Amino acid sequence: MSNSIGNNLLHQSFLPSTVLEPQSRISSTWIGGNTLFPPQATSVARKSPLSTEFRGSKLTVHKKKLRMGKNRAVSCFPQAVLAADPSSQIAEKFNLDGNIELQVDVKAPNSGSRPVVDIKVTCSENNLFLHWGAIQSRRGKWVLPNCRPSGTKVYKDRALRTPFVKSGDIASVRIEIDDPTIQAIEFLIVDEGQNKWFKNNGDNFSIGVPPRVPRGSNVSVPEDLVQIQAYLRWERKGKQMYTPEQEKVEYEAARTELLEEIEKGTSIQDLRARLTKKNDGNESKDQPLPESNNIPDDLVQIQAYIRWEKAGKPNYSPEQQLKEFEEARKELQLELENGTSLREIREKIVKGEIQTKVAKQLAKKSYFTVERIQRKKRDTMQLLNKYPSRSGEERIVSEPQTLSAIELFAKAKEEQVDGSIINKKRFDLSDGKLLVLVARSSSKTKVYLASDLEKPLILHWALSKIPGEWMAPPSIVLPPGSVSLDKAIKTQFSISSSDDLTNKVQSLEIEFEDDNYLGMPFVLLADGEWIKNKGFDFYVEFGAKTEQVQQVAGDGKGTAKALLDKIADMESEAQKSFMHRFNITADLIEEARSAGELGFAAILVWMRFMATRQLIWNKNYNVKPREISKAQDRLTDLLQNVYIDHPQYRELLRVIMSTVGRGGEGDVGQRIRDEILVIQRKNDCKGGMMEEWHQKLHNNTSPDDVVICQALIDYIKSDMDISVYWKTLNENGITKERLLSYDRAIHSEPNFRRDQKDGLLCDLGNYMRTLKAVHSGADLESAIANCMGYSAEGEGFMVGVQINPVSGLPSGFPELLQFVLEHIEDKNVEALLEGLLEARQELKPLLFKPNNRLKDLIFLDLALDSSVRTAVERGYEELNNASPEKVMHFISLVLENLVLSVDNNEDLIYCLKGWDQALNMANSGDKSWALFAKSVLDRTRLALASTAEGYHQLLQPSAEYLGSQLGVDQWAVNIFTEEMIRAGSAASLSALLNRLDPILRKTAHLGSWQVISPVEAVGYVVVVDELLSVQNKSYERQTILVAKSVRGEEEIPDGTVAVLTPDMPDVLSHVSVRARNSKVCFATCFDPSILADLQAKEGKLLRLQPTSADIIYSEVTESELENSSNLNDTGPAPSITLVRKQFCGKYAISSEEFTSEMVGAKSRNIAHLKGKVPSWIGIPTSVALPFGVFEKVLSDDLNKEVASKVEDLKKKLHGGDFHALGEIRRTVLNLLAPSQLVKELKDKMQSSGMPWPGDEGQQQWEQAWMAIKMVWASKWNERAYFSTRKVKLDHDCLIMAVLVQEIINADYAFVIHTTNPSSGDSSEIYAEVVKGLGETLVGAYPGRALSFICKKNDLNSPQVLGYPSKPIGLFIRRSIIFRSDSNGEDLEGYAGAGLYDSVPMDEEEKIVLDYSSDPLITDSNFRQSILSSIARAGSAIEELYGSPQDIEGVVRDGKIYVVQTRPQM
């Protein structure tokens, strides 16, 4: 290493900066020549009774009066007496607990020696330990010094435990301080025998350590050597990330070490030789230039600073910093050798503010690191925005959304299509629906038609090459059975007799190869009645002119249809100019307010179509810029008022405002018109392109003008390179055709002279601010100027503008915004992101208060939000080789930005808290940090998906309906919501999560797969969106399904040999259990590249070979399929027989009466456990409504009408009308309760010690009765019904009992499999745990549960496999639950468990979960206790039954309750 590093490197930050740690608890302050920690900066929250100051070499002690507790200073004791060490400079005594005296002696170091701390106590016990750590700075946490007394042990990686050494009645510990960075020792005393802690008034004892003062204070060490020594210390310590405070301490510690060596006789020359030789390995192999001592170090610093600025102010590593200084010196040395004098070099590089900039950096000691703002500590929950849910939830029969026959047909055909869908239309008929799909592959066009009309349908159709034409197609394309008519064809729809639900429609397929046809006209004939489309022929386009294809919007369901219709009617008027459009929008605001959220969704969609140039901006109408800005001003004023009055719409209003622009009173807009004239005159550019642009600006200014102005600036800066002009225009969506499309077209290209360059750059730069003031709501510089205030002088006829500052801005806010502006172009964006977010946090409280300039603050917030997204995208390169901790920090920043931008952000806030917790775990060395971070990552992805789904449900129906009304390009309608999401922080956050995911999986040893059911399989790959959409399908050949979505409650389709998904169903979810029972391979794939490869193999024949943690797949031949072990049995599936149970004469029975003739296995198993399991396992009290009660109630005279309707619906069901399932469920809910049932159930519940619902009033009984009926009705849910059909089970023989239990208001719920279901290992228990009730575990709730395994021979050592990511927990007050218990429960070959519903009497409350305060996550001892108890309960029950068990239970106040068990399938 060259020894020519400038001696002023003292002032450079030689280590990367990080966010400062929270304040430490140092209570001592050194005052004198080197004041490291000023008195006012020390913590006042925690004061030691010892206040120490250091002056020169003497330590002075001040005693403080102790006002409380027993820690009083004393002079004598009846027991042993501690004598003060005469050589120490502190001797303080305390009475800790009556007979225990504490004395602390601190010996200040002599020349070259170390400080020593002696701690003595009088005590007869042998179990005293010193619990201690060191403090390096006032902002530091405890560090663990390397120099430790004998017998010291590390306690939980956070502290040291040193035993006191006894000598008679006195025990002592001596600590030598060898690390000069240590400023204090903090400690407690613990009696391990009695687990008793001795504290200082409830706080730590804190003893300041005097620094080592070298001999001969006039000796100095060259700064370049201090720099090298500091670098070597940093290398020795593992290249840690230091805070700026730590950097300073490390730097001074390096100086102290070198001074000590000098005191021992080492010369400066020897030090230099040793240090530079030691660092040779870190240097470039290139030979450095000869050292020259005639280049002043201040010039080297300035040259290095200039290099750093040119490089984009990156955060250099220590190696890069040293290299940069050498490179700067080399550059100056080369100039000297070429004949340039030092004076000329100084004049050349010392210009303007460069010296001031360098001086500021030197003062901060952060030369090669971007300065950071000090972020305030805030309560994250203050960011909470929580408003009523967007869509009310009906409590009646919680069931998965079922697709209609037409929708199932459409999905099936779309999945089969080899090419692309070029058109899709749905038409409402009087008694049904009609679907038309047009697909194209190669040169073939295929038209699919389907209808759910009951009447037989005939299609009268033709083809057309021009709109309106009926042309008879060639006979070769006619479907079988078609009849040719005059210029038309008559074809009968076919009706399938298959049991497959997807074919329960009338359908027809037409295929032809001639691609000259534009479309197909047709009409329908049903039972002699002609069916048309609102009086006209039906017509479907073949995609020849996509801009004319209108999407079928149905009836506008899910939209503010009346408002959208009005918007569509007024679009022709709005096209005249922006003034017209904004005034029309302003007139519609009150109607939008009345329509609520959907009303503002309608306005947003319209404005977004406008902003993305899907609508005409100006059509044959001249309007002054001032009139446009005034209309903008009026509209934004109205939006501002709604923003204050209706906070639940703020997210929508923000987006609307971002599409409109700021506007302003007349003078701001007028300057657009006037200022361009002044620019033309001043710069002599009155003709050509500038005149054409001037005419356009006068006629109808628009946001395009901002882009045109920027293109001109870029063109001039590039030395008049016309390609740069077009590049800027095209990148921002402006083509030559668009320029020509203006009412005042721009035909010419700019053609300026070079002597015009400086004047035009200056004037166009100022003009850009005027344009942005009107058009660009999200431009940062303009938004800041508008809030801070500015003035623009008038010139001649041009008006002046005076914008006053917004009042009430927080203290220091202007400086914060100035920091943002100074760093907005930084290449390394971390400090910028922190500044932007700090500004948004400071601004947030003002956005909730009335202010006549509120909209200016909203536009500023929008601009800051937009700048965060831009900075993050620019900062991806910074993360290429970043540590996981840095990526997590970036994720936290982007997530914070999203939290600040959206409504209903509770889930996102808890994700943010989770990332903070993950970062703390990583920084503290917690070995499970990656596993926990993976769960937070998964939850964050779920939150993003939920946010995207919310946008889609709210906005997409309006986009589709309005798009069809206005003739918007089909592609723009299709991607409307997707583009909205992509424009926000969610897209950036998703990209960061994708970057971190493989790192976490690798660190946590998770691999690319989680194999839930490890079964080898061979089959053809079929890709589907949702497993739910195909669960009732039967595949004719062995099929490997790659399903993008698996919720957890689906059935697995017949013919399926494997299900692979990126989704994350619980290992013990219904679909997981079904897969294992059916010997179907089932696995989650975490790697997007593997998933994409599998999807690309659609139609291929693959072999899957799973292990417990991976899946190997390969393509195979048909012959291997024939030999595969999982080839479907060609014989008929064996029929399963159910014995129909009869009514036993009792409406209710107690658990003592449970028999196989009365109740199912669920009830019998829980009764069997009573009195047989250990007493620490609770079993809830149970009664039941036995088999046959439903049928008895249905046959009661009270329910004749219901019974008759159910019979009719069952006939429809047997005839193949599966819509009858839902109708039967709704009909069953109308049953009335016989009085004898009410009496018997009340008697049994009360005699068993259970609360009777009627005691709380009639309404409670009505709720209980409704819950009972919902259990009975679940016999006819789709999933259960089709399961019985698959195994040819007689559905009428399935009888439902109802198990009645008191609900335990659970803290946690769990499911145990006493044999690990993934590996089949019977020696270990597998379990999953959720917070709240177990429905989130066994139902279709997103996210993963906490999962763990536990060896049966070591039940006290559970191993966590995954932390929870479920965002929702269910909680309920003390209540009753009614559980389904059919005679198909655990039936071999069917396993009806989980198919039918269990319903609580009272509605559960959905709570968004905060795992950062959950002791199961944060307290390892609590977690170990709970998980061990769950494992022990599983082991005990398995031992009782003698076979593997599937157990459900809950935890309440630490006690385990088991609510049901069944044989593990």
Side-chain angles (χ1 to χ4, degrees):
M1 179 181 198
S2 169
N3 59 4
S4 60
I5 297 175
N7 66 355
N8 278 323
L9 279 174
L10 161 66
H11 304 295
Q12 321 312 332
S13 168
F14 55 92
L15 302 168
S17 66
T18 59
V19 178
L20 295 179
E21 295 285 352
Q23 285 190 341
S24 85
R25 299 169 299 207
I26 283 187
S27 58
S28 57
T29 305
W30 308 113
I31 302 175
N34 183 18
T35 304
L36 291 177
F37 310 131
Q40 64 270 24
T42 57
S43 172
V44 295
R46 309 175 63 159
K47 295 185 178 181
S48 166
L50 300 181
S51 174
T52 59
E53 295 178 349
F54 189 75
R55 293 183 175 87
S57 61
K58 184 179 180 182
L59 184 70
T60 307
V61 180
H62 300 288
K63 297 180 183 178
K64 295 187 178 180
K65 184 177 180 181
L66 303 176
R67 299 183 180 180
M68 58 184 291
K70 296 183 179 181
N71 293 3
R72 303 183 303 276
V74 294
S75 57
C76 63
F77 295 88
Q79 294 86 12
V81 177
L82 291 170
D85 186 337
S87 65
S88 74
Q89 292 166 348
I90 176 171
E92 189 66 20
K93 298 179 181 179
F94 296 96
N95 183 0
L96 296 183
D97 189 21
N99 63 345
I100 299 178
E101 177 185 348
L102 164 68
Q103 177 174 303
V104 183
D105 296 323
V106 179
K107 294 181 181 178
N110 297 320
S111 177
S113 68
R114 301 173 176 176
V116 174
V117 178
D118 281 322
I119 301 171
K120 302 176 183 178
V121 295
T122 59
C123 184
S124 59
E125 299 295 332
N126 292 316
N127 294 316
L128 287 188
F129 286 79
L130 188 74
H131 184 89
W132 65 286
I135 301 292
Q136 289 183 323
S137 74
R138 66 185 175 87
R139 294 183 180 274
K141 298 178 180 178
W142 278 20
V143 296
L144 310 183
N146 292 322
C147 184
R148 305 166 185 174
S150 176
T152 298
K153 295 182 179 179
V154 178
Y155 182 80
K156 293 186 177 181
D157 293 328
R158 295 197 297 261
L160 298 175
R161 281 269 177 101
T162 302
F164 278 83
V165 178
K166 288 203 67 177
S167 177
D169 290 333
I170 296 175
S172 62
V173 172
R174 166 167 286 195
I175 301 172
E176 289 190 13
I177 311 299
D178 71 335
D179 186 346
T181 66
I182 292 177
Q183 304 295 318
I185 297 293
E186 286 194 359
F187 65 89
L188 302 167
I189 296 174
V190 58
D191 184 340
E192 288 194 347
Q194 302 181 39
N195 193 25
K196 185 175 182 180
W197 294 79
F198 298 99
K199 299 184 179 182
N200 181 22
N201 283 335
D203 212 336
N204 296 346
F205 292 96
S206 183
I207 301 298
V209 177
R212 283 176 273 184
V213 180
R215 211 169 29 214
S217 57
N218 59 341
V219 177
S220 63
V221 182
E223 295 298 328
D224 61 328
L225 298 187
V226 178
Q227 175 76 21
I228 296 170
Q229 180 70 5
Y231 177 81
L232 294 174
R233 284 176 57 85
W234 177 72
E235 272 194 329
R236 286 200 304 268
K237 293 188 174 186
K239 299 185 178 181
Q240 303 173 32
M241 293 291 288
Y242 286 148
T243 66
E245 188 86 22
Q246 290 170 316
E247 291 178 21
K248 296 174 186 176
V249 171
E250 282 293 309
Y251 201 90
E252 292 307 315
R255 185 193 306 279
T256 301
E257 287 178 346
L258 295 181
L259 285 170
E260 288 178 353
E261 289 199 50
I262 292 172
E263 289 175 0
K264 294 174 182 177
T266 306
S267 67
I268 297 290
Q269 291 76 14
D270 291 341
L271 280 178
R272 184 176 297 280
R274 176 177 65 79
L275 291 174
T276 54
K277 181 179 180 180
K278 186 175 290 187
N279 248 348
D280 279 346
N282 295 322
E283 287 302 302
S284 169
K285 294 179 180 179
D286 298 335
Q287 287 296 322
L289 292 171
E291 180 186 351
S292 175
N293 293 323
N294 59 356
I295 301 179
D297 288 323
D298 65 324
L299 293 185
V300 177
Q301 290 168 348
I302 292 172
Q303 181 68 9
Y305 184 90
I306 291 170
R307 287 172 55 85
W308 180 61
E309 273 198 327
K310 285 181 179 178
K313 297 183 178 179
N315 281 333
Y316 282 146
S317 68
E319 295 96 330
Q320 290 170 312
Q321 293 176 33
L322 296 173
K323 186 177 179 181
E324 278 298 302
F325 265 78
E326 281 302 297
E327 291 300 320
R329 189 181 296 278
K330 288 178 184 178
E331 288 177 349
L332 298 181
Q333 183 72 37
L334 194 58
E335 289 201 48
L336 280 178
E337 293 175 358
N338 289 337
T340 308
S341 68
L342 279 175
R343 181 180 60 80
E344 290 170 328
I345 291 175
R346 185 176 294 278
E347 288 176 352
K348 173 185 172 184
I349 68 174
V350 182
K351 291 181 178 179
E353 297 182 351
I354 187 68
Q355 277 186 308
T356 305
K357 288 180 180 180
V358 174
K360 284 182 179 179
Q361 292 295 115
L362 296 178
K364 294 170 185 166
K365 294 194 177 184
S366 58
Y367 197 87
F368 280 126
T369 53
V370 178
E371 63 176 311
R372 310 282 280 267
I373 52 98
Q374 182 74 33
R375 296 213 61 186
K376 294 180 181 178
K377 297 291 181 183
R378 296 180 176 89
D379 180 4
T380 309
M381 294 310 298
Q382 291 180 350
L383 301 177
L384 180 64
N385 298 326
K386 195 173 182 180
Y387 304 113
S389 175
R390 280 179 175 157
S391 57
E393 294 182 4
E394 292 184 4
R395 182 158 187 269
I396 295 179
V397 190
S398 173
E399 57 188 60
Q401 180 182 1
T402 56
L403 300 177
S404 69
I406 289 289
E407 290 168 329
L408 287 169
F409 178 91
K411 271 188 171 291
K413 292 303 178 187
E414 288 173 19
E415 289 165 6
Q416 292 172 11
V417 166
D418 193 25
S420 59
I421 302 292
I422 59 175
N423 202 350
K424 178 180 179 180
K425 285 194 172 186
R426 295 186 189 90
F427 299 96
D428 286 324
L429 309 180
S430 57
D431 296 315
K433 305 279 186 185
L434 173 69
L435 167 77
V436 185
L437 275 179
V438 183
R440 180 168 291 159
S441 60
S442 302
S443 60
K444 291 185 178 181
T445 300
K446 198 163 190 176
V447 182
Y448 301 90
L449 299 99
S451 176
D452 58 1
L453 273 180
E454 294 185 3
K455 300 175 183 178
L457 276 178
I458 297 174
L459 180 74
H460 282 250
W461 62 284
L463 297 175
S464 63
K465 293 188 176 181
I466 59 174
E469 177 185 40
W470 280 68
M471 176 186 294
S475 59
I476 193 172
V477 307
L478 303 185
S482 296
V483 177
S484 295
L485 306 173
D486 183 27
K487 296 185 179 179
I489 303 296
K490 181 174 73 172
T491 305
Q492 179 83 39
F493 278 71
S494 62
I495 302 176
S496 171
S497 59
S498 168
D499 287 338
D500 190 340
L501 184 62
T502 59
N503 291 327
K504 277 295 179 182
V505 293
Q506 300 186 65
S507 62
L508 183 59
E509 297 181 9
I510 301 169
E511 182 177 315
F512 53 91
E513 293 193 14
D514 189 343
D515 58 3
N516 291 319
Y517 294 115
L518 294 182
M520 185 179 89
F522 64 92
V523 293
L524 300 170
L525 183 64
D527 275 359
E529 179 185 351
W530 290 101
I531 301 174
K532 292 192 172 187
N533 182 25
K534 299 177 181 179
F536 298 93
D537 295 344
F538 292 97
Y539 187 77
V540 60
E541 304 90 346
F542 296 159
K545 295 184 178 179
T546 57
E547 69 273 12
Q548 297 300 322
V549 175
Q550 294 186 359
Q551 178 172 340
V552 175
D555 57 3
K557 186 178 179 181
T559 73
K561 183 174 180 296
L563 179 57
L564 290 171
D565 287 338
K566 186 173 288 188
I567 288 172
D569 291 341
M570 304 185 79
E571 174 60 26
S572 59
E573 180 72 9
Q575 289 178 357
K576 290 181 179 179
S577 73
F578 278 118
M579 178 192 74
H580 290 81
R581 188 176 297 279
F582 294 146
N583 279 330
I584 290 170
T585 308
D587 293 338
L588 293 174
I589 290 299
E590 191 55 42
E591 187 170 342
R593 189 202 305 252
S594 299
E597 188 173 47
L598 290 176
F600 288 110
I603 297 292
L604 186 155
V605 168
W606 190 33
M607 291 292 100
R608 181 81 178 172
F609 279 150
M610 172 207 71
T612 54
R613 302 189 177 100
Q614 290 299 314
L615 304 178
I616 296 171
W617 285 4
N618 175 230
K619 191 173 183 180
N620 303 322
Y621 197 95
N622 294 343
V623 62
K624 298 175 183 176
R626 67 185 302 164
E627 293 170 334
I628 294 176
S629 65
K630 187 174 182 180
Q632 283 176 297
D633 203 44
R634 176 188 172 216
L635 174 55
T636 51
D637 276 344
L638 288 170
L639 293 171
Q640 167 185 273
N641 295 338
V642 179
Y643 187 95
I644 285 295
D645 297 337
H646 300 278
Q648 69 271 32
Y649 305 142
R650 283 175 178 163
E651 186 177 349
L652 292 174
L653 294 165
R654 283 166 55 88
V655 182
I656 295 171
M657 292 178 75
S658 71
T659 65
V660 174
R662 186 180 297 106
E665 282 298 334
D667 287 348
V668 178
Q670 184 61 29
R671 279 184 70 96
I672 290 179
R673 189 169 183 166
D674 296 347
E675 201 169 339
I676 189 65
L677 286 170
V678 174
I679 291 172
Q680 286 180 278
R681 291 180 183 180
K682 283 177 62 177
N683 296 280
D684 188 24
C685 51
K686 296 179 182 178
M689 179 268 170
M690 289 295 283
E691 180 57 28
E692 292 168 355
W693 187 34
H694 162 221
Q695 291 301 322
K696 183 228 179 271
L697 289 161
H698 273 232
N699 178 59
N700 215 313
T701 184
S702 71
D704 281 2
D705 295 316
V706 177
V707 179
I708 293 170
C709 187
Q710 187 62 56
L712 289 172
I713 292 171
D714 293 345
Y715 160 70
I716 296 167
K717 285 183 176 178
S718 68
D719 201 24
M720 316 301 178
D721 184 346
I722 196 63
S723 67
V724 173
Y725 169 77
W726 286 109
K727 181 173 182 288
T728 300
L729 290 178
N730 293 336
E731 285 177 350
N732 290 277
I734 298 180
T735 62
K736 187 172 185 178
E737 290 73 23
R738 184 165 181 84
L739 293 176
L740 294 173
S741 72
Y742 301 138
D743 278 1
R744 297 291 188 270
I746 299 178
H747 300 271
S748 307
E749 294 180 333
N751 185 19
F752 301 135
R753 305 187 307 272
R754 279 179 170 72
D755 64 301
Q756 296 171 306
K757 180 176 180 178
D758 291 340
L760 279 170
L761 279 177
C762 177
D763 292 343
L764 287 173
N766 292 329
Y767 190 47
M768 178 68 88
R769 184 168 70 175
T770 300
L771 290 169
K772 286 181 175 179
V774 174
H775 295 301
S776 301
D779 176 69
L780 183 62
E781 189 173 355
S782 175
I784 290 176
N786 218 54
C787 288
M788 296 298 103
Y790 71 91
S791 61
E793 298 297 327
E795 186 170 338
F797 58 84
M798 184 173 66
V799 296
V801 174
Q802 176 66 45
I803 303 296
N804 294 319
V806 175
S807 61
L809 295 176
S811 174
F813 193 61
E815 292 77 11
L816 185 55
L817 294 179
Q818 185 60 38
F819 171 89
V820 166
L821 287 176
E822 287 177 358
H823 296 278
I824 197 66
E825 299 296 334
D826 283 2
K827 182 178 179 181
N828 295 91
V829 300
E830 189 173 348
L832 169 63
L833 288 173
E834 291 171 351
L836 288 164
L837 289 166
E838 187 66 18
R840 291 199 71 191
Q841 291 270 20
E842 289 285 281
L843 194 58
K844 181 178 170 62
L846 301 182
L847 300 176
F848 292 86
K849 300 176 182 176
N851 187 317
N852 62 352
R853 297 280 299 281
L854 176 62
K855 67 179 182 181
D856 289 324
L857 297 176
I858 295 172
F859 278 118
L860 175 57
D861 190 55
L862 286 168
L864 293 166
D865 178 17
S866 177
S867 298
V868 170
R869 299 195 301 269
T870 304
V872 169
E873 289 164 8
R874 190 170 73 246
Y876 286 150
E877 185 180 344
E878 186 176 341
L879 298 177
N880 283 343
N881 298 306
S883 65
E885 290 84 353
K886 183 162 185 175
V887 180
M888 287 195 289
H889 181 52
F890 263 64
I891 287 172
S892 294
L893 295 174
V894 180
L895 182 54
E896 181 183 351
N897 192 59
L898 186 60
V899 164
L900 286 163
S901 302
V902 301
D903 296 334
N904 294 312
N905 58 9
E906 187 174 14
D907 191 15
L908 292 170
I909 285 176
Y910 294 144
C911 290
L912 182 58
K913 294 177 75 173
W915 285 113
D916 290 341
Q917 188 174 346
L919 265 171
N920 289 336
M921 291 171 69
N923 291 330
S924 65
D926 190 317
K927 294 179 180 178
S928 63
W929 74 266
L931 196 62
F932 177 76
K934 181 66 170 72
S935 72
V936 182
L937 184 146
D938 292 339
R939 179 173 181 176
T940 307
R941 278 181 169 160
L942 287 172
L944 291 180
S946 176
T947 300
E949 181 62 23
Y951 278 132
H952 193 274
Q953 291 178 0
L954 177 64
L955 300 176
Q956 194 63 28
S958 294
E960 291 173 0
Y961 186 80
L962 187 62
S964 70
Q965 298 294 312
L966 301 182
V968 172
D969 286 352
Q970 188 66 48
W971 64 265
V973 172
N974 292 343
I975 66 171
F976 181 86
T977 306
E978 181 184 340
E979 285 301 305
M980 282 278 300
I981 295 167
R982 195 174 292 166
S985 293
S988 302
L989 181 56
S990 181
L992 290 172
L993 296 175
N994 292 340
R995 182 185 292 254
L996 182 63
D997 193 2
I999 299 172
L1000 295 181
R1001 283 191 282 108
K1002 182 178 179 180
T1003 306
H1005 309 293
L1006 293 177
S1008 299
W1009 293 89
Q1010 180 178 28
V1011 182
I1012 297 170
S1013 177
V1015 178
E1016 187 169 331
V1018 176
Y1020 293 92
V1021 176
V1022 173
V1023 179
V1024 297
D1025 284 332
E1026 298 176 324
L1027 182 59
L1028 182 67
S1029 68
V1030 295
Q1031 67 173 347
N1032 300 321
K1033 190 169 184 176
S1034 293
Y1035 290 98
E1036 295 180 358
R1037 58 184 187 174
Q1038 292 177 223
T1039 298
I1040 297 172
L1041 283 178
V1042 180
K1044 296 174 186 174
S1045 170
V1046 176
R1047 297 169 58 182
E1049 63 176 4
E1050 301 92 338
E1051 290 297 310
I1052 296 175
D1054 286 348
T1056 303
V1057 296
V1059 178
L1060 309 177
T1061 178
D1063 228 333
M1064 296 176 292
D1066 290 307
V1067 174
L1068 301 184
S1069 65
H1070 174 83
V1071 71
S1072 301
V1073 174
R1074 278 283 185 247
R1076 289 190 291 269
N1077 292 348
S1078 306
K1079 300 296 185 282
V1080 171
C1081 179
F1082 186 33
T1084 292
C1085 179
F1086 296 116
D1087 191 324
S1089 61
I1090 293 177
L1091 190 70
D1093 184 54
L1094 284 166
Q1095 291 169 334
K1097 295 184 185 300
E1098 185 165 19
K1100 302 284 182 65
L1101 185 61
L1102 294 188
R1103 178 185 296 278
L1104 306 181
Q1105 295 173 292
T1107 66
S1108 60
D1110 195 11
I1111 286 186
I1112 299 169
Y1113 59 92
S1114 57
E1115 291 190 38
V1116 295
T1117 62
E1118 294 279 353
S1119 60
E1120 290 179 84
L1121 173 62
E1122 294 173 3
N1123 297 326
S1124 69
S1125 60
N1126 61 7
L1127 189 63
N1128 283 350
D1129 184 4
T1130 55
S1135 179
I1136 298 172
T1137 303
L1138 265 181
V1139 177
R1140 185 183 179 94
K1141 304 292 184 178
Q1142 302 298 322
F1143 179 59
C1144 66
K1146 295 182 179 180
Y1147 283 103
I1149 57 175
S1150 64
S1151 60
E1152 290 78 13
E1153 301 172 87
F1154 290 177
T1155 68
S1156 60
E1157 293 302 312
M1158 308 275 262
V1159 293
K1162 186 182 296 182
S1163 300
R1164 299 197 307 275
N1165 286 338
I1166 201 68
H1168 180 69
L1169 291 177
K1170 290 198 93 173
K1172 297 183 179 66
V1173 295
S1175 59
W1176 53 269
I1177 301 176
I1179 306 295
T1181 303
S1182 305
V1183 301
L1185 281 72
F1187 292 139
V1189 172
F1190 166 70
E1191 289 76 14
K1192 178 68 173 174
V1193 171
L1194 187 64
S1195 65
D1196 195 285
D1197 289 345
L1198 285 170
N1199 297 304
K1200 281 183 179 179
E1201 290 185 15
V1202 173
S1204 176
K1205 188 172 181 180
V1206 167
E1207 283 303 312
D1208 291 343
L1209 289 169
K1210 285 169 68 175
K1211 290 176 184 177
K1212 290 177 66 176
L1213 181 61
H1214 293 153
D1217 183 355
F1218 301 119
H1219 289 101
L1221 287 167
E1223 294 183 60
I1224 293 175
R1225 290 196 301 273
R1226 289 187 288 273
T1227 303
V1228 168
L1229 299 183
N1230 293 322
L1231 287 170
L1232 299 176
S1235 58
Q1236 186 62 26
L1237 181 150
V1238 178
K1239 180 181 181 303
E1240 289 188 26
L1241 182 59
K1242 179 179 180 180
D1243 290 345
K1244 289 297 180 183
M1245 290 180 69
Q1246 289 181 333
S1247 63
S1248 298
M1250 297 174 68
W1252 169 244
D1255 290 343
E1256 296 185 41
Q1258 184 63 22
Q1259 183 181 353
Q1260 278 295 95
W1261 161 246
E1262 292 297 336
Q1263 288 179 208
W1265 177 236
M1266 179 58 73
I1268 292 169
K1269 292 186 290 185
M1270 290 167 69
V1271 174
W1272 285 335
S1274 70
K1275 173 180 174 178
W1276 286 275
N1277 70 51
E1278 279 82 358
R1279 186 161 56 93
Y1281 180 78
F1282 287 110
S1283 292
T1284 61
R1285 287 170 60 87
K1286 284 181 181 179
V1287 295
K1288 295 181 172 57
L1289 188 69
D1290 186 348
H1291 188 257
D1292 287 337
C1293 290
L1294 193 135
I1295 307 298
M1296 188 78 71
V1298 180
L1299 175 63
V1300 185
Q1301 292 179 319
E1302 187 172 1
I1303 289 183
I1304 297 160
N1305 187 6
D1307 299 321
Y1308 306 98
F1310 58 82
V1311 174
I1312 307 169
H1313 277 198
T1314 58
T1315 289
N1316 189 328
S1318 296
S1319 64
D1321 188 347
S1322 61
S1323 71
E1324 64 186 18
I1325 289 168
Y1326 177 89
E1328 294 181 339
V1329 186
V1330 295
K1331 195 166 176 62
L1333 300 178
E1335 180 59 24
T1336 59
L1337 180 56
V1338 298
Y1341 284 81
R1344 283 273 177 86
L1346 182 147
S1347 58
F1348 72 95
I1349 56 172
C1350 193
K1351 291 292 183 182
K1352 292 176 184 175
N1353 61 3
D1354 188 8
L1355 294 172
N1356 289 322
S1357 302
Q1359 177 189 346
V1360 174
L1361 301 180
Y1363 286 94
S1365 60
K1366 287 187 180 289
I1368 297 295
L1370 297 179
F1371 296 86
I1372 197 170
R1373 69 185 185 93
R1374 185 187 182 197
S1375 185
I1376 302 294
I1377 189 166
F1378 301 89
R1379 300 183 184 275
S1380 59
D1381 191 23
S1382 74
N1383 58 340
E1385 188 90 8
D1386 302 326
L1387 181 67
E1388 187 175 353
Y1390 173 58
L1395 287 176
Y1396 306 99
D1397 294 341
S1398 296
V1399 185
M1401 176 177 67
D1402 297 288
E1403 189 172 2
E1404 307 99 328
E1405 182 182 6
K1406 287 185 177 181
I1407 300 294
V1408 183
L1409 298 176
D1410 178 7
Y1411 291 115
S1412 69
S1413 59
D1414 183 357
L1416 193 66
I1417 308 303
T1418 61
D1419 186 334
S1420 59
N1421 292 330
F1422 178 82
R1423 181 169 61 248
Q1424 190 268 345
S1425 172
I1426 294 296
L1427 301 189
S1428 294
S1429 296
I1430 291 171
R1432 286 199 302 274
S1435 179
I1437 292 172
E1438 182 186 54
E1439 187 175 337
L1440 176 65
Y1441 280 95
S1443 63
Q1445 293 292 298
D1446 174 354
I1447 304 162
E1448 294 181 23
V1450 298
V1451 181
R1452 173 69 181 176
D1453 296 331
K1455 182 175 175 62
I1456 304 296
Y1457 295 85
V1458 170
V1459 298
Q1460 70 179 65
T1461 185
R1462 62 173 72 94
Q1464 181 177 332
M1465 305 298 289

